[in-house]
Structures are given as structure tokens and as C-alpha cells.
Amino acid sequence: MGTLYLLFELFCRSRSRVILCQRVNPKPVPRRRNDESGRYQEVYSDEDILSLLEGTRLSTSEVADQLDCHRTTAHDRLTELEDEGKITSKQVGNTLLWEIQPQS
């Protein structure tokens, strides 16, 4: 489920309508503090990503949508898994398609 936007309508004294938009995240995002920078970063396990790619090829954006994370975060995690030899990527036009490394 993606980010929800809740709209609240308020009427000011001049009877003109004002709409405020508040971003609400429906589920907690997994995070961990980076020891070097002290900043929080999102965490997605290898198993989460590999289960998405089971028996199919997905683009970086499709993986990001299913993990409910930013495309850059998904790309970084996918690249880590590719460097470990667990998945492969293939450039198709402007898109990278990712799949589980075939067993030889």
C-alpha cells in the first residue's frame, strides 16, 4: 500500500476554501541507524527482494513499488545482490530488468 494523502477542507472567515494535504505513511518503514553517519536508513532483507524476483524479471521501479521504497534505495539493494552473485541484471532500452541468478 502506498502513501496515503488525507485532505482536510477548512473554510476561513472570507468563505474561501483552503485545502491542506498531510502525508500519512500507513505502515512503519524498516529503518536502522548507520553507525558511521548516525543517520537512519531503510532496510530490506535479501529474502524480501529474492522472493519478489522468484520466477520472474522485474524492473527497478517495479521492485521499489512492491517494497514501498524509493527507486534509488531499490537500485542500491539490487546492485548489492548482483555484486554478491545472487541476481543478474539486463539492460532493456532504458530499463534494468533483474532476475535471480540461474543455477549452472
Side-chain angles (χ1 to χ4, degrees):
M1 180 178 225
T3 302
L4 301 177
Y5 290 91
L6 300 178
L7 297 177
F8 300 96
E9 294 184 23
L10 302 174
F11 295 91
C12 63
R13 289 184 183 165
S14 66
R15 295 185 186 201
S16 62
R17 197 163 99 176
V18 177
I19 298 177
L20 301 174
C21 185
Q22 178 183 5
R23 184 177 176 166
V24 178
N25 198 343
K27 65 180 181 179
V29 176
R31 293 176 169 255
R32 163 178 63 199
R33 187 180 293 268
N34 182 312
D35 293 333
E36 293 177 21
S37 69
R39 299 175 77 184
Y40 283 97
Q41 60 189 25
E42 295 177 3
V43 178
Y44 301 95
S45 71
D46 292 357
E47 293 77 25
D48 291 340
I49 296 169
L50 293 173
S51 68
L52 292 176
L53 296 174
E54 190 71 40
T56 189
R57 292 182 187 166
L58 295 174
S59 70
T60 305
S61 294
E62 290 169 327
V63 171
D65 289 344
Q66 292 190 32
L67 290 176
D68 197 22
C69 68
H70 192 273
R71 190 191 61 75
T72 305
T73 303
H75 183 266
D76 292 346
R77 286 294 292 124
L78 290 163
T79 302
E80 289 172 14
L81 290 173
E82 184 176 38
D83 291 344
E84 294 170 9
K86 296 180 180 179
I87 63 174
T88 60
S89 64
K90 181 178 180 182
Q91 184 81 36
V92 178
N94 291 332
T95 303
L96 275 177
L97 293 180
W98 303 87
E99 66 181 338
I100 294 177
Q101 176 75 31
Q103 300 295 325
S104 33

